[in-house]
Amino acid sequence: MERAAADALDASAVPDVFDPRVYAAGVPHERYRLLRDRHPVAWQDEPEIQGWPAGPGFWAVTRHADVVRVLRDHTTYSSCLGATQIRDPDPADLPFLRRTMLNQDPPGHGRLRRLVSRAFTPARVDAFAGRVRERARTLLAAARDGAADGAADLVGAVTDEYALLNLTDLLGVPAADRGLLLEWTVRIIGYQDPEDAPAPRLGPDGKPLNPRSPALLGEMFAYARELAAHKRAHPGDDVMTALALAGLEPAELEMFFFLLTVAGNDTVRSAAPGGLLALARQPDAYRRIADGSAPVATAVEELLRVHPPVLSFRRTAARATELAGQPIAAGDKVVVFHASANHDERVFTDPDRLDPARSPNPHVSFGDGPHVCLGAHFARLQLRTLHEEWRAAMPPPELAGEPRGLVSNFINGITRLPLRVSGPPR
């Protein structure tokens, strides 16, 4: 359907891939295809939308090779100059935002990444594998047994809880406080979606405050300081204990907690239902996973390719440059679109086909370059386990209603996913 709509467009026109409302109906792959084919580095306007202020515009980068080039070349395409969201932050907030390693460039970024890497080791992550598996079994069984009509919303019944509880176990957040992390994630990630997010808080000028501004993150930071103090007095084998004992400055610890809470939760919170939705739409692919002809670990990489948890990331040109023949001025915003790069026909054969045995699979769903996702190992563990437990106990994924996508040009979220949960496995 979208291919027909895209083909009806003027081939010389530049499709809009900025408007977050476009993404509620699904990733606009045909718009991306037109950009890759005709406008691989394309100017996008930033009009005011839903009360959020207009911006100066940006360059949309949609081909795989160009996306990788931008992500790897931190000297030309900076994460620090304007931070990493499409929307420009308030200049007064920039020093605050630059405290997190997500919004830093090497060499400062490398120092912080090394510190948190010591806390986020594969060995520490793997120690939680048994708990992750038991949680997947318990949540899936509860969804199956509690479905009066044989169907359940997998987002509400399984994947939100699964991502959140696994993360809080790893961080060492007490059970009584776990709801706070989901509340903060929804506020920060879902702010573009009027259905998913709470009403925006307004500043003195009557305009919505950026949910990543200091004014709206104070509650989270106060909690991070209290939790770190508790971990110093009562250490455990968890990430917050390791960070609390790492000698970080208070502001650095606060920003690590912010980054791990939001990114660590929402990566799996988006990818888990997105993978199940992809399999429901292409049942032949699920049959190959169920019969063992496609290994689950390989299939997870393909599901990440077709449903990356993050749609886009912003950089700022540190100097005048050229990308795919397009001159870019110093100070211009440059936004890479992961979901487009993952469907680039120049890299992936038949990219619209879900091939659970696809190899090699150089998707960029976890980024590339110095900012490649630190939690990728933990995310893969959770996704692999969820699909293994689904295969063992649940029927083939089948839609029982219309899914709903998050209104966001940043996170590829699913807010509702009705699936059949009754019936024999496989």
Side-chain angles (χ1 to χ4, degrees), residues 207-228:
K207 294 182 179 180
L209 289 170
N210 189 321
R212 297 171 179 81
S213 68
L216 293 187
L217 292 177
E219 181 185 27
M220 179 188 284
F221 290 166
Y223 179 82
R225 292 192 298 271
E226 292 173 9
L227 182 59

Side-chain angles (χ1 to χ4, degrees), residues 172 174 225-235:
R225 292 192 298 271
E226 292 173 9
L227 182 59
H230 175 78
K231 295 297 181 181
R232 292 186 193 103
H234 307 281

Side-chain angles (χ1 to χ4, degrees), residues 150-174:
D153 173 17
L154 264 290
V155 172
V158 176
T159 57
D160 269 5
E161 286 286 293
Y162 182 67
L164 176 67
L165 296 180
N166 289 335
L167 176 67
T168 54
D169 278 353
L170 187 69
L171 289 178
V173 173

Side-chain angles (χ1 to χ4, degrees), residues 48-73:
E48 178 180 344
I49 292 176
Q50 297 176 333
W52 295 97
F58 61 91
W59 296 106
V61 182
T62 48
R63 287 182 182 171
H64 187 280
D66 297 327
V67 166
V68 169
R69 177 178 170 184
V70 169
L71 292 175
R72 291 181 180 178
D73 185 0

